[in-house]
C-alpha cells in the first residue's frame, strides 16, 4: 500500500456545494499545488510545497526514483467515510471522562456503523456510561469521518510537513474547517488496515482448552 495524505472536513456531516468544491479545486490548480495530466486527471503540481513542505525525497514506497508527481483524488462521498493512518497503534479516549476505550468496543461500534449504512457512529463508554460519537473520540493519531476528501496517493509523507497557514486559506475556499490524516508512521507496527473504509477485525483467540476440545470432536 502506498503512503497517503488526506484532507478531510472536521464536521463529518458537512457537504460542500458544487460551487465551493470548484472554487477549492480551481484555487489549487491556479496556485500550482495541483495539476492536470494529459488525460485530465488530477495530480500533484510543481508548487506542492505551498501545502506540504519537503523535508526529504518525495518518492513512491519501494521505488528508488524520485516522483515529481503522484495521483490526487478530490471526492464528495454519499455518506461519511472513515479516514485513518494506514499503520498506527490504535488508541482512543472518551472526550467526556478521558478514559481509554477498549479496542473491541471500538470495533463493535465500527461494525454497527457499517451495518447502519454508515449513519450510526455512537459508542458507549463504560467508564462514564455516556454515548459518544466515534468522530469525537480523542485518538492517539489523527483520523476521522468525512463526506469530503482530497487524497494524495503515493506521497512518501514521512518526508514532508504540512503548511498549516496554507491550510487556513483552503478552509476559507471550501467553507469548512479541515483536518489532516497523515500516514507517516512505521509500517512494521501496522495494526489497522490500509486506506480508509471498513476496519479489519481480528478473530478471537481460542484458549488451549477450547482448542483441545475442538480436536477431540474432529476425531
Amino acid at each position: 500500500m502506498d503512503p497517503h495524505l488526506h484532507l478531510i472536513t472536521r464536521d463529518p456531516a458537512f457537504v460542500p456545494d458544487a460551487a465551493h468544491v470548484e472554487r477549492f479545486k480551481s484555487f489549487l490548480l491556479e496556485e500550482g499545488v495541483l495539476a492536470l495530466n494529459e488525460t485530465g486527471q488530477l495530480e500533484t503540481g510543481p508548487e506542492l510545497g505551498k501545502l506540504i513542505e519537503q523535508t526529504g525525497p518525495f518518492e513512491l514506497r519501494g521505488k528508488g526514483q524520485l516522483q515529481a508527481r503522484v495521483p490526487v483524488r478530490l471526492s464528495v462521498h454519499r455518506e461519511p467515510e472513515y479516514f485513518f493512518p494506514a499503520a498506527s497503534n490504535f488508541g482512543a479516549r472518551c472526550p467526556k471522562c478521558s478514559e481509554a476505550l477498549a479496542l473491541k468496543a471500538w470495533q463493535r461500534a465500527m461494525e454497527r456503523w457499517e451495518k447502519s449504512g454508515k449513519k450510526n457512529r455512537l459508542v458507549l463508554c463504560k467508564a462514564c456510561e455516556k454515548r459518544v460519537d466515534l468522530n469525537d473520540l480523542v485518538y492517539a493519531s489523527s483520523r476521522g469521518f468525512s463526506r469530503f476528501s482530497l487524497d494524495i496517493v503515493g506521497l512518501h509523507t514521512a518526508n514532508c510537513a504540512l503548511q498549516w497557514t496554507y491550510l487556513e486559506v483552503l478552509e476559507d475556499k471550501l467553507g469548512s474547517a479541515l483536518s489532516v490524516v497523515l500516514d507517516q508512521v512505521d509500517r512494521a507496527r501496522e495494526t489497522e488496515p490500509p486506506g480508509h473504509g471498513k476496519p479489519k477485525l481480528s478473530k478471537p483467540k481460542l484458549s488451549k482448552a477450547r482448542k483441545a476440545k475442538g480436536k477431540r470432536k474432529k476425531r
Side-chain angles (χ1 to χ4, degrees), residues 112-139:
R112 288 194 297 271
W113 170 69
E114 284 280 1
K115 292 177 180 178
S116 70
K118 300 183 177 180
K119 297 182 185 298
N120 176 21
R121 294 192 307 271
L122 294 177
V123 61
L124 176 67
C125 174
K126 291 187 177 180
C128 65
E129 298 185 344
K130 300 291 185 182
R131 300 180 76 193
V132 181
D133 191 312
L134 287 167
N135 198 66
D136 295 335
L137 291 172
V138 182
Y139 289 103

Side-chain angles (χ1 to χ4, degrees), residues 21-157:
V21 172
E22 185 58 35
R23 184 170 67 173
F24 182 86
K25 175 182 173 182
S26 297
F27 176 76
L28 289 172
L29 288 171
E30 291 169 5
E31 290 275 292
V33 174
L34 300 185
L36 296 174
N37 61 21
E38 296 79 4
T39 61
Q41 301 298 312
L42 284 174
E43 61 183 23
T44 53
E47 300 298 327
L48 180 63
K50 293 179 180 179
L51 174 63
I52 306 169
E53 179 184 4
Q54 184 171 355
T55 58
F58 282 179
E59 57 183 298
L60 289 179
R61 182 175 177 81
K63 296 187 178 181
Q65 74 272 25
L66 296 181
Q67 300 290 321
R69 297 182 177 182
V70 293
V72 175
R73 294 193 300 262
L74 185 62
S75 309
V76 177
H77 308 279
R78 181 173 297 179
E79 295 294 341
E81 295 293 333
Y82 174 55
F83 298 85
F84 61 99
S88 63
N89 289 331
F90 175 83
R93 292 186 176 277
C94 173
K96 299 182 184 295
C97 68
S98 298
E99 284 296 312
L101 183 75
L103 175 59
K104 287 185 178 180
W106 176 81
Q107 288 176 328
R108 288 194 294 268
M110 289 296 290
E111 287 177 342
R112 288 194 297 271
W113 170 69
E114 284 280 1
K115 292 177 180 178
S116 70
K118 300 183 177 180
K119 297 182 185 298
N120 176 21
R121 294 192 307 271
L122 294 177
V123 61
L124 176 67
C125 174
K126 291 187 177 180
C128 65
E129 298 185 344
K130 300 291 185 182
R131 300 180 76 193
V132 181
D133 191 312
L134 287 167
N135 198 66
D136 295 335
L137 291 172
V138 182
Y139 289 103
S141 55
S142 178
R143 61 190 67 208
F145 297 79
S146 179
R147 289 191 60 181
F148 170 88
S149 66
L150 180 127
D151 314 298
I152 301 179
V153 183
L155 186 66
H156 197 317
T157 53

